Amino acid sequence: MSLERKDEYDHNAWLKERDLSVVEKTYLMTLIWFDRRFRLVDYLEILENMYYKINLQMPKSHTEQYNLDNKFWYWYPLYALGSFSVIAYLVAALTGALLGFYYAPSTAGTPPESYALLTTIMADQNFGFMLRSIHRWSAQVMTAAVFLHMLRVYFTGAYKEPREVNWIIGVILLALTVGFGYTGYLLPWNQLAFWAGQIGVEMALAVPLVGEWAAQMVFGGFSLGQPTLQRMYILHVFVLPFVVTALIALHIGIVWMQGIAEPH
Amino acid sequence: MSDNDSQQSEPATDGSGPGIVAPDDEVPSWRERKERTTGLSRLTYEYFERARREDQDLRQESSYVERDVLGFPAWPHETIRNLAISSFFIGMLLFLAATMPPTLEDAANPAVTPEIILPDWYLYWSFGLLKLGPINPELSILGGDKIMSDELYGVLANAVVFGAIAIVPFLNKGSARRPVEQPFWAAIGVGGVMFAFTTSVVAVQNLAPIDPNITFDLAFLLPLVAATITYAVLKTMREGYMYDLNRRYYRLRPPR
């Protein structure tokens, strides 16, 4: 194999005969410059492929085939609950990242430092009160949407074969969403947070054999303190986001693969 | 061991070189290679071949109607619809956040137990399950002792609820989808939702002006009542529904 240059298309002659405007000429020169180096033309195939993946030649859906659309349109909002929980999750992630700039988990001092930081966020930061309000409400709405989504799936029988695996992933996601809410509930380190944490520790300790280990692991001890808050913080901002985001992606990916269980 | 050693010390004279060989006509195709395997990989290969053939047969037999136009276009139709719905939803969130901002309670104080200890609303049902102590059975063979503590009983109740939800698809089979087609499972669902509400009421019982004993009994009675009513109503509706379906059927294919 030789590296000698072969004949090339004379793009410059082609450009001359086209009689282009300056903008068009600059654009084409840039395109050719990059194409010489990266062979962009090879990637056109990927774009074309994506085009056909997005604009699929769809088979007629069940509702279309049996002309059920006129009877079922009023159920469609219930089919948006899954997307609603994802949107609420994204809003919570965004506001959570912003809140994270001003928050640190610490129980030191009176009032506890975390609590004092929350007071600062709500009283002194620009839009801090609104930010916390949005974060809290999106969490509430996400949980509500997840519960209602599960009810919709149950009452329309959408969990049936072949969708059992996705139903189980959904149940896990429900538990993790509630866990997200619980760990977030503990972060302000106010009275409600402290005593909700107390209930959590007692629940863990009630379990024989693994209970004490679980209490050490999740709550950092048998009584609440700095380790508890630290662990809740890490669970809330590091562990759960990765796990839940991955599971949501899997959940939606499976829905994409298997198709939506339509009403019939 | 010694055999292996002697093999390694000998120079490779079979032309195999360093192990990576350029593919040529001698290299077996994917299929040939798979057919040569044994054991589990052979089984896997055979199953996948069968599955592929099954798919092909199904596709050839099927009378599935394909459109002669492209589906609902992702751009702009679907995108604009999604943007509209998402914006509306985010607007709703901002509205809620602006009109009902959360409060910050007193700072944590381990010395003072508040009168009311409650988790967030979505955990009320779980918190209510922790208060099922009164129905934790006392076994006479243990001299009236309980087999487990009330706390453990409550934690197990939570696990049982999650387990029950998770195995639903393995219990309810078949192609029925609508509640009218499966009154029993719809009744189970309504009973379950009702139970979530009643256990929530048990959890907040120190806020409700009702005798705790009555709330506790109602927590189990109301779901049963709701499930029974749902079952009766759907069973009745199913008669009409099937009548309608049958009528349509016989109108299409009148009996001879």
Side-chain angles (χ1 to χ4, degrees), chain A residues 48-49 98 149 165 222:
Chain A
E48 192 183 345
N49 212 339
L98 292 176
H149 174 60
V165 174
F222 302 147

Side-chain angles (χ1 to χ4, degrees), chain A residues 41-59:
Chain A
V41 69
D42 290 348
Y43 301 94
L44 277 182
E45 199 186 335
I46 295 176
L47 282 183
E48 192 183 345
N49 212 339
M50 269 166 62
Y51 170 80
Y52 287 114
K53 288 246 162 62
I54 293 168
N55 294 301
L56 278 176
Q57 178 92 13
M58 303 281 271

Side-chain angles (χ1 to χ4, degrees), chain B residues 45-202:
Chain B
Y45 166 71
E46 277 178 19
Y47 170 70
F48 279 142
E49 281 300 303
R50 288 181 59 84
R52 203 180 295 170
R53 222 172 301 137
E54 187 190 1
D55 263 14
Q56 202 179 338
D57 289 352
L58 280 175
R59 235 176 262 134
Q60 278 165 354
E61 280 171 24
S62 141
S63 58
Y64 212 55
V65 184
E66 296 267 343
R67 285 183 191 165
D68 47 9
V69 292
L70 291 178
F72 196 68
W75 174 263
H77 304 59
E78 181 70 29
T79 314
I80 286 181
R81 186 166 74 177
N82 287 354
L83 271 180
I85 293 175
S86 308
S87 322
F88 173 75
F89 183 68
I90 292 172
M92 205 179 74
L93 267 181
L94 296 184
F95 177 76
L96 281 174
T99 50
M100 285 177 273
T103 52
L104 192 59
E105 313 287 327
D106 296 334
N109 186 356
V112 182
T113 311
E115 265 182 58
I116 297 162
I117 302 176
L118 276 181
D120 244 353
W121 59 268
Y122 47 80
L123 278 171
Y124 282 180
W125 62 273
S126 165
F127 195 46
L129 288 179
L130 294 181
K131 298 187 177 178
L132 293 184
I135 57 160
N136 189 358
E138 296 164 4
L139 298 181
S140 52
I141 47 167
L142 296 176
D145 279 347
K146 293 179 174 181
I147 199 167
M148 58 181 103
S149 66
D150 285 351
E151 289 88 4
L152 177 58
Y153 194 73
V155 174
L156 279 185
N158 275 286
V160 166
V161 166
F162 267 107
I165 295 172
I167 59 167
V168 163
F170 302 99
L171 299 178
N172 183 13
K173 302 265 187 191
S175 58
R177 281 282 163 80
R178 300 182 188 191
V180 274
E181 290 171 324
Q182 34 179 359
F184 175 75
W185 287 96
I188 295 271
V190 169
V193 173
M194 194 51 134
F195 187 58
F197 276 108
T198 51
T199 43
S200 301
V201 173
V202 168

